[in-house]
Amino acid sequence: MGRRWVDGAGVLRVGGDGPPIPLEVAASYRARTRGLLGRPGIEGALLLTPATSVHTFGMRFPIDVAHLDRALRVIAVTTMPPGRLGLPRLRARHVLEAEAGAMAAWGLHTGTTLTLALTPDAAPPGGTPGRLTSR
């Protein structure tokens, strides 16, 4: 059975030992639909789950987009300017968004595995409260 996520916050680490990066989780339909629309920027990253693609219509700034599989492994990274429609990735289960250039600065690239430390109410059932790591 699949994991069920809820909206919340946490910390993202690239490769398991990178510096902590602030993370927002958008799991509800409303939160995923809103995403980064209308914001002047974001500190850290936004995880959309479940998601296979994104768009940047109505965005005020370009973003980096990383498509993640179920194990939180990066399968593709792109930079999208405002007003674009991204293609869906078939193996993607989650999409991570950040301001353009942020993912390169974090060392995030295709094949990287991410580690998430989430607040207890954002962790999916069956996991340790407040902590979810990829396998």
Side-chain angles (χ1 to χ4, degrees):
M1 179 165 232
R3 295 176 172 161
R4 184 171 174 89
W5 296 70
V6 296
D7 298 340
V11 174
L12 167 73
R13 291 185 188 272
V14 176
D17 59 354
I21 300 162
L23 177 71
E24 295 176 41
V25 177
S28 68
Y29 176 77
R30 182 177 182 156
R32 287 191 321 267
T33 302
R34 167 84 180 168
L36 297 175
L37 296 177
R39 293 189 194 190
I42 181 172
E43 181 181 338
L46 174 68
L47 179 72
L48 304 169
T49 182
T52 60
S53 67
V54 296
H55 69 83
T56 57
F57 298 113
M59 299 277 297
R60 296 181 180 177
F61 56 96
I63 61 172
D64 286 342
V65 176
H67 292 84
L68 313 175
D69 66 11
R70 290 182 187 273
L72 301 177
R73 190 173 31 254
V74 178
I75 58 175
V77 180
T78 59
T79 299
M80 295 177 61
R84 306 294 174 157
L85 177 63
L87 296 174
R89 301 287 175 158
L90 296 178
R91 293 185 350 239
R93 178 68 178 151
H94 317 282
V95 174
L96 187 69
E97 297 179 340
E99 287 193 27
M103 292 184 185
W106 301 334
L108 190 146
H109 53 82
T110 301
T112 303
T113 300
L114 305 178
T115 302
L116 308 178
L118 304 173
T119 56
D121 54 342
T128 304
R131 184 120 181 111
L132 174 71
T133 49
S134 61
R135 289 183 167 75

